[in-house]
Amino acid sequence: MKDLNLIGIFKDKLTLSKLTFLTNSPLHIAVLRTTTHSPSSPPTHHHLTTLLSLGDSSRATASILTTALINRLHRTTNPYVALKSLFTIHHIIKHGPFILKDQLSVFISSTNIGRNHFKLNNFNECKSATTWMLSAWVRWYASYIENILHTSKNMSFVISSLSLTFLEREKQQEMISSYINFDLIKDFASLTRVIEEMCKVPDNILVENDRLLKCIMEALVNDYLSIVNEIVVRVVELKERVSLLSFNDSVELSNELNRLMSCKEKSLQLFCVRKQKESVDTLWEMVEELNGEIGMVSFSKQLGRKSCNGTESARFGDRVLRTGDSVKFASGRLRLK
């Protein structure tokens, strides 16, 4: 394993030497420095900041940098390089300038391969037990980031970005209140899928001694808190509309609430967070309450229908002839003798 790491580090130095002669070398060098072969060491804050700064100069440079980063991800067989490439993409999504995020969106739009945008479903390095376990992390992390990009595109904002200001939150709540029920439930379902994807994180037996995996988990915690806030805003709005939901909307929403509740135990194990713990606890309480309210409203509506049906049946029964009832006929010819 050590020999492989040394070979990887040597390859990085050799590539850096070659890049000094290229026109766009600063961009490629920035990508290489954030995605080195060095095991366990995450990209430094300095290198990440430099990369974001270079990618913010023009649309052309942002495109070149994004392409270089994706190519680095596709061509490597080293799980550390793949994880660092994905971590860098994740960092761009969360902290990058609009122009870089936009180029990632362009990449997603230009791939016609379903949701497997990074083409890492079959990534597997079996040279050691460690690389085999890290390969599982690569496959999961790629799927998670694809989910983030796909969901953000559908919802028209980056769901894992930094916390919104008070004014931005007020504007968002006003916008959400104007959604029709179908779109509101669709948003809720999309956010639930992100939580589900988070909970598929591989066994964290390596996390304790691996700084890169620790950084990935820290990024995941921040995403979790951000998404919890997004879900809470929508649950508050849905609670206001419970009595107005159609039967089909109620059934679909109840299914999505149950899917989210199935993630509760795993998410609480993964994200033992102190900051914003109140909002996390509030989420699960509100989800249970909303599901209960949907059940009560649906039961009341069904009871109301049965009551109406019973009344109609009674009225109809009054109009049905019973044995022994006398009947008057207008025609005397039909009079019984």
Side-chain angles (χ1 to χ4, degrees), residues 104 112 121 157 167 177 179 182 193 202-203 211 244 264 271 290-291:
L104 281 174
N112 299 314
N121 283 359
F157 71 95
L167 290 176
S177 66
Y179 284 5
F182 175 83
R193 279 193 290 273
D203 193 332
R211 288 187 295 143
L244 304 175
K264 179 180 178 180
F271 312 116
L290 178 56
N291 211 4

Side-chain angles (χ1 to χ4, degrees), residues 28 42 119 126 133 162 184 204:
H28 290 84
K119 296 185 283 190
C126 302
M133 286 188 283
L162 296 174
L184 195 57
N204 57 4

